Structures are given as C-alpha cells and as structure tokens.
Amino acid sequence: MIAFPLVGAFILLVFNRFTNRWGHLLGVAMSLASFVVAVLAFFELIGFGEEERRRAVHLYEFIPGMVDMGLLIDPLSISFALLITGVGSLIHIYSIGYMAHDEHRRRFFSYLNLFVAAMLLLVLADNYVGLFIGWEGVGLASYLLIGFWQFKPSAATAAKKAFVVNRVGDFGLLVGMFIIWTTFGTLTFKGLGEQIQPGQSDGTMLAIGLLLLLGACGKSAQLPLQSWLLDAMEGPTPVSALIHAATMVTAGVYLVVRSGAFFFPEGSGAALAVAIVGAVTLLAGAIIGCAKDDIKKGLAGSTMSQIGYMMLGAGLGPAGYAFAIGHLITHGFFKADMFLGAGSVMHGMNDEVDMRKFGGLRKVMPITFVTFFIGYLAIIGFPLLSGYFTKDGIIEAAVHHEPILGWLAVLGAGVTGFYMSRMVFMTFFGEKRWDKEAHPHESPLVMTVPLMILSLGSLGLGAYLVLGGTLYKFLIPAVGGSVDAVPHFDPFSTPGLATLALVAVGVVFAWMRYGRVEVPSVQPRGNFLTTFARRDLYGDALNESLFMRPGQWLTRVAVFFDNRGIDGIVNGLAAGIGGSSGRLRRIQTGFARTYALSILIGAALLTGALLLVGNI
C-alpha cells in the first residue's frame, strides 16, 4: 500500500520532464494499485477470527534498542487505509481533468502520491516513531501542495502558515513521545497495551494525553491551532479535497483513537479535554462558515466543524469511537464530493470562488448540482443519508455522557443547516449573477464520474456502518469495547428530534435570506457578529497579539543583547587591546639614544626603589 504511491512519487520527481506526457496516468495507477492492495488486505483480515484481527508486519530493525519498523493491520488502520486510497484515487482521477492545462501537472501528481504514501505510513505504523515519520511526511506534502502555485504570494504565505502552525502541534506530539519512552520504555502500540494497566491514572498519563491532544489539534485544525486551515484553500481544489476529506485533517482523530489508553484511565481529564475541544471547534467552524462568500473557505469552515464532531465522539471513549470513525468515513465521501463539486463550479466559472457571482448554476451544471446537493443533504443530517446516522449518533452519545457538550453539538447542527443551505442557495438557485466573461458549463466525465461515485457513498454508507453496530463490532479488536454494549441509534430520541428541528429551522432561515430574495452581488457590511465570523473569530489577530508581537519584541531584545552585549564584549576587548598596542608601539622609535635614556631612567627608578626598601 505504501510502496506503490511512494514509488510513483519517486519516478515523477526524479525523471522530471521526461514523464510530463504520462506522469498523471502513472500517479493515478499507483494510487489505484494501493487501493487494490488495501481491499485485498481488508478481505484477508476479515477472514480471521475477531481475536486474531491484529496482524503485525515486521519490516526491519530501525533504531536498535528502541523500536523496529513495522506495520499493524487491524480494523482501525484498514478502515483508514480504505478511505485514504479509495477517496484519494477518485481525487487523483478528478485531477486529470482539473489540472489538464497546468504545465506542472506531473509535479502535482507526484506530490499527491507522496501525500497518500505518507498518510498510509501514519495510519499503518505499529509504533509512534513510524507514525511520526508519516505525520511529518503529511506536513511536508501539504506544504508542497498548498503552495503549489507558488507564484501567488497568497499561496506561498498560506503554505508557510500551515507548516509553522503544524510545527506547534508536532512539538506536542514529539514531547509526548519522549515522555512515553521515558515512562514505559517502548513506543510500540502492542508494548504499551501490555504495560498500561486498566484504571491507571496519574499526572504522567494526563500530561501524555494533553500533549497528544496538542498534536491532534495541529493536524486536524482544532482550536487553538485552526488558523491555517482556511488559508490552505489557496492550493488547487483537489488538494483541498484530499486534505479535508481523506488525509491530513483526519490524522488527529486517528491519533486520539489509537492512543485511547492515555485518554481513558479512570479519573483522567484528558478525554474531557478532547471532548471540549471538539465541541468548541464544531461551533467555531460553523459560525465561520456562515459568513464566507468564498465557496472553498465556506467548506473549510465546515471541515473544522465536522472534525470537531469527530473529536467530540473520540472524547467519549469506546461508546463514541464507532460514531467518530463512522462520521470520519462518511465525511470523507460527502466532503470530497462537495469540494470536488466546488472545483467543478470553478472550472466552469473561470476559477471564480465568490458565491455572490454564481446563482442559477443548477440549470447549466446539472450533474455537479445533483452530486453536490446529495453531499449537502448528507452533511446537514437529512434523514436516511450518511451524515444522519453518524453525526446524530455522536450527538446522542454526547448528550448521554456529557450533556452540556451534547446540546452544544445540537446547536451546531442547526447552524450547519443554515450555512450549508446558504451555500447551496447562493450557488445553484436564484437568478444568475455571472460576470459577462463567464460561460458556465458542465465539467468533463473525468471530473463528474468521481463526483457520482462519491455521492453514492454519501447516500447509504452511514446506515451500513451504524445500524446493527456493524462498525462498532468491527473496531472492537483495535479500540476495545464489548459486543454486549453496542451503542443503539435511536432516530426518535429527544436529541435526535431536536437536531432535526434545528436543522429545519436553519434551512428555512437560509431560504428566507438567500433563496427567496435576490442576493446582492457586493458583500453587505453586516453587523459586528458578521464581521467577527468573516475574520475567522479574530484567530489571526489573537495569534498576532499573543505570540507574534511578543515574539518580535523578544527577537529585538535578543538581537540588541547580542549586538551590544555578546558582540560588545568581544569587540570592546579587541578594540582595547588594539588601542593599547597602538599607544605602546610609540615607544619603539628606532633611535639608540632613546633606548639608552629609557635604560638609564629604568635603572634610576630601580636603584631608588631598592634604597627606599632598604631604609624601611
């Protein structure tokens, strides 16, 4: 699985322009080959008994005395592998059409292959060192892809911002790994599972859990490390789909679930911290999505929010794991569907992203509209579609275990209904507001066929995963739980009915604001709440005030101390010696009479001193 895309990336990068004519086909073939291996591994895995569905694949001795490089095929890792390779391959195919006229298309596909390979290593590694290598590989690939159009200053800046913010989270993960090694003497998941005792709870476990959460917040764009995600939309649209749906932002959720032993010892607050971060972020992302006119940034806010739901579920333990992972899988389909649908709209609208310049596109882009609309229904939790089962399952479990956070999630669902409906109404309904130069048209089949496949996954996948506890039972060997405690999905529960009611209110309110009346082509000023959302809840301003400005002053103080202190001492000493030697050399005149006079004076002074001492 890992080797195919890694070899593809190597060939495309090393052989450079010689692969320009067929490089994109090689990139697609390598991703599809990886998907085939993942499917074969899945069927082989389910052929074993439940107690044997943790298969270790030893590769080689990596760091002697610390860790060997190996892979772990279990229900959790294979679920991610199928999502990464399956949805990733569809994005590769879509990119053939989307990047058809880009002169650097071959390099783009090499980066896509590298991204897939790094993410697969992250989820398949059987230890934290291998996971961390994949973790950093994903960070590198995201930097390369977000800044792919590096001739645009905004793209280059966004890539650097994503890289720097993620380094903050990576620092937390790395320190957490140091503490794990110091405490337990191993970094393998199997070894830690054998050493960590049920009910173990102390400050070390809490510290490890919080540090791992910091790492997860960086990769999954959760508060307070969410600021990079919306700027990442500067990359090509397939990059946004890959990052947001199948790879990078799901890594944090995987880390929390895989490291469940550190989050759920009795009395630990780390799990509650995960749930709180998820609940706060799902609301923050939804609020941001309400005020974005850029269709891609609106979807980015949606990703923040939906990953928040997954983190909330992951913070509930085994009772929420199945719903969190289920929502992650279904979200991979309907969010990729919508991002690629947005790219299809841009493809037909001369790369325009402002929804105020769309309107009425359902008539000229019918396939894009239908597939996008299915993804929209899934994300708002329309009954019987994928998101209805997985997201409402998280809400129901959260209300049962953490009522306050659960009801915040219900509120977030209502806001989701509003901002996603706003996006659909502004883009596909109403009167056309296109520029004269725009000539919208349906995208070619190489772009619309992946949309159709993704929309099919958005229709029925959630029901298959949730009803009867299918995914919950499948994940038990990897994450724990009991077949006697299968979480029950109740469509008529109080939280479920309240969620549907609030979603309906959000849809109706969006229709009144953006569907029934004409949408102004120029963004209105709005009130202070609108401004608050448009500026991403002032996250950048907060980071600038708390970190960047103090960092600048710290740098200036350090430079001043270095120039006037360290360099001042060294330069001053050198100048003192140089000045003294310059004065002393004046006594070297070259005249014998001067030297004789010096000797006479010196002898007289010495004789006088001896006489003085003798008299005393």
Side-chain angles (χ1 to χ4, degrees):
M1 276 186 271
I2 300 171
F4 276 124
L6 192 60
V7 169
F10 176 81
I11 293 174
L12 294 176
L13 289 172
V14 170
F15 292 96
N16 207 334
R17 67 179 185 275
F18 298 107
T19 64
N20 279 346
R21 299 180 66 179
W22 47 267
H24 56 287
L25 299 177
L26 176 66
V28 171
M30 291 296 100
S31 183
L32 285 172
S34 185
F35 174 64
V36 171
V37 175
V39 172
L40 294 175
F42 169 74
F43 282 108
E44 184 178 355
L45 185 69
I46 62 176
F48 295 103
E50 291 186 6
E51 67 282 354
E52 298 178 344
R53 289 181 182 172
R54 287 177 63 88
R55 316 301 295 185
V57 181
H58 178 75
L59 298 180
Y60 55 87
E61 185 181 34
F62 184 46
I63 304 177
M66 177 177 286
V67 67
D68 290 342
M69 183 57 70
L71 305 178
L72 175 63
I73 307 295
D74 68 357
L76 180 62
S77 64
I78 200 64
S79 297
F80 273 82
L82 288 169
L83 174 68
I84 294 163
T85 57
V87 175
S89 295
L90 292 174
I91 294 171
H92 275 70
I93 295 170
Y94 175 95
S95 300
I96 294 175
Y98 191 86
M99 302 294 289
H101 303 294
D102 195 294
E103 59 179 331
H104 301 295
R105 180 169 64 169
R106 181 266 318 159
R107 179 162 55 87
F108 179 77
F109 276 86
S110 70
Y111 294 163
L112 287 185
N113 271 195
L114 179 63
F115 208 143
V116 170
M119 189 65 190
L120 285 171
L121 175 60
L122 191 160
V123 300
L124 292 174
D126 70 350
N127 61 83
Y128 280 102
V129 176
L131 180 150
F132 188 75
I133 295 173
W135 191 273
E136 293 303 295
V138 170
L140 170 63
S142 68
Y143 170 78
L144 295 172
L145 285 167
I146 294 170
F148 182 76
W149 288 326
Q150 54 196 348
F151 56 85
K152 296 167 54 179
S154 57
T157 301
K160 288 187 289 185
K161 183 177 182 180
F163 195 82
V164 170
V165 173
N166 271 275
R167 296 293 72 74
V168 178
D170 296 353
F171 176 77
L173 174 57
L174 198 59
V175 174
M177 289 168 54
F178 293 161
I179 299 176
I180 292 172
W181 169 254
T182 303
T183 305
F184 299 101
T186 182
L187 287 166
T188 63
F189 301 137
K190 180 180 179 181
L192 289 168
E194 294 172 350
Q195 290 199 41
I196 298 175
Q197 301 298 321
Q200 182 176 348
S201 178
D202 55 29
T204 302
M205 297 289 283
L206 175 61
I208 293 172
L210 293 178
L211 287 166
L212 295 180
L213 173 60
L214 179 61
C217 286
K219 273 291 182 287
S220 292
Q222 300 292 282
L223 291 170
L225 300 178
Q226 83 291 349
S227 61
W228 65 271
L229 191 66
L230 276 80
D231 290 6
M233 297 303 98
E234 291 293 336
T237 301
V239 174
S240 304
L242 192 63
I243 290 177
H244 287 242
T247 56
M248 187 166 172
V249 295
T250 65
V253 181
Y254 172 79
L255 178 65
V256 171
V257 175
R258 177 63 80 188
S259 308
F262 296 112
F263 289 97
F264 292 99
E266 186 178 351
S268 172
L272 179 60
V274 172
I276 291 174
V277 166
V280 173
T281 306
L282 73 87
L283 277 176
I287 292 171
I288 289 172
C290 290
K292 293 297 181 182
D293 291 335
D294 184 319
I295 187 170
K296 290 176 64 178
K297 290 191 175 183
L299 289 172
S302 167
T303 297
M304 277 179 57
S305 182
Q306 298 305 306
I307 298 293
Y309 276 102
M310 300 171 206
M311 294 292 282
L312 173 60
L316 302 176
Y321 282 164
F323 290 121
I325 300 301
H327 194 54
L328 187 150
I329 295 171
T330 58
H331 176 265
F333 280 85
F334 59 68
K335 183 51 63 68
D337 177 22
M338 286 188 289
F339 259 116
L340 297 185
S344 180
V345 170
M346 293 168 59
H347 182 268
M349 293 289 290
N350 297 331
D351 290 328
E352 180 61 65
V353 295
D354 188 350
M355 294 184 291
R356 295 186 180 277
K357 297 181 180 179
F358 294 162
L361 290 179
R362 72 184 188 281
K363 299 177 182 178
V364 292
M365 306 180 72
I367 298 177
T368 299
F369 165 66
V370 171
T371 54
F372 192 99
F373 196 76
I374 291 173
Y376 152 73
L377 293 177
I379 197 174
I380 68 172
F382 190 82
L384 304 183
L385 271 72
S386 289
Y388 171 70
F389 295 97
T390 55
K391 186 173 72 174
D392 284 28
I394 293 173
I395 293 173
E396 188 173 335
V399 170
H400 178 71
H401 290 85
E402 299 290 344
I404 295 177
L405 301 181
W407 286 108
L408 287 177
V410 172
L411 177 61
V415 182
T416 301
F418 170 75
Y419 74 80
M420 288 305 305
S421 299
R422 171 182 182 269
M423 183 180 299
V424 169
F425 295 146
M426 290 179 69
T427 302
F428 295 104
F429 290 85
E431 298 298 325
K432 62 181 183 180
R433 301 180 296 277
W434 317 327
D435 292 335
K436 294 181 179 180
E437 297 79 13
H439 301 285
H441 56 277
E442 188 59 272
S443 300
L445 285 176
V446 73
M447 295 173 64
T448 54
V449 169
L451 292 177
M452 298 176 197
I453 297 173
L454 290 168
S455 64
L456 290 177
S458 305
L459 284 172
L461 189 57
Y464 171 75
L465 295 176
V466 172
L467 296 182
T470 303
L471 183 61
Y472 177 87
K473 296 174 183 177
F474 179 67
L475 291 175
I476 286 177
V479 302
S482 171
V483 292
D484 298 326
V486 176
H488 177 63
F489 177 79
D490 182 6
F492 301 105
S493 66
T494 301
L497 294 176
T499 299
L500 285 177
L502 279 181
V503 168
V505 170
V507 172
V508 171
F509 186 53
W511 171 255
M512 294 175 63
R513 291 289 306 274
Y514 301 98
R516 189 182 62 175
V517 299
E518 182 63 23
V519 177
S521 57
V522 178
Q523 185 183 77
R525 182 174 181 178
N527 55 33
F528 76 98
L529 289 176
T530 304
T531 304
F532 186 56
R534 285 174 182 166
R535 298 193 177 183
D536 304 341
L537 310 187
Y538 291 101
D540 288 337
L542 183 65
N543 288 336
E544 182 175 339
S545 300
L546 293 181
F547 302 108
M548 193 273 280
R549 295 299 179 190
Q552 282 186 328
W553 283 105
L554 180 62
T555 302
R556 290 168 183 166
V557 170
V559 169
F560 177 83
F561 178 74
D562 182 62
N563 290 338
R564 301 297 179 87
I566 305 300
D567 288 352
I569 293 173
V570 174
N571 295 336
L573 181 61
I577 293 174
S580 300
S581 62
R583 291 177 177 85
L584 288 172
R585 72 182 181 183
R586 293 177 183 175
I587 66 176
Q588 303 295 325
T589 63
F591 296 110
R593 61 180 180 270
T594 303
Y595 299 150
L597 179 62
S598 299
I599 294 172
L600 177 62
I601 294 173
L605 291 174
L606 181 60
T607 301
L610 291 174
L611 292 173
L612 179 63
V613 172
N615 291 332
I616 293 175

